[in-house]
Amino acid sequence: MILDNRGLEPPQPMMRTLAALETLGEGEILTIINDRRPMFLYEQLEELGYKQRTEQQNDGSFKIEIFR
């Protein structure tokens, strides 16, 4: 599942991401694309037991893969 959060103002990207995680199945990966590094989201993910990989893209956006 890919969620493109570019162009949204905080806290919309985080709210959309957390809502999408509720539908994530076991073994699935949620990929989000944000305009900025989601520092507050990282804390939430850790509390919920998720792991993430963050990669800055050539256009300055960030691709974050979220999984258990």
Side-chain angles (χ1 to χ4, degrees):
M1 175 189 292
I2 298 176
L3 188 61
D4 189 345
N5 290 324
R6 290 176 289 187
L8 299 175
E9 291 297 318
Q12 283 298 321
M14 186 160 86
M15 292 172 59
R16 290 182 76 211
T17 300
L18 293 174
L21 284 174
E22 292 179 7
T23 67
L24 198 64
E26 189 65 34
E28 292 183 325
I29 296 174
L30 172 62
T31 300
I32 63 170
I33 304 171
N34 284 14
D35 290 322
R36 54 188 70 82
R37 188 180 298 270
M39 300 309 292
F40 295 114
L41 177 64
Y42 295 144
E43 296 170 20
Q44 290 287 321
L45 293 176
E46 187 174 326
E47 287 179 18
L48 294 171
Y50 288 97
K51 297 179 182 175
Q52 56 79 27
R53 283 187 295 262
T54 300
E55 183 179 303
Q56 187 166 8
Q57 304 299 293
N58 291 334
D59 65 359
S61 66
F62 290 87
K63 178 176 94 172
I64 300 96
E65 295 177 325
I66 303 168
F67 53 95
R68 287 219 186 250

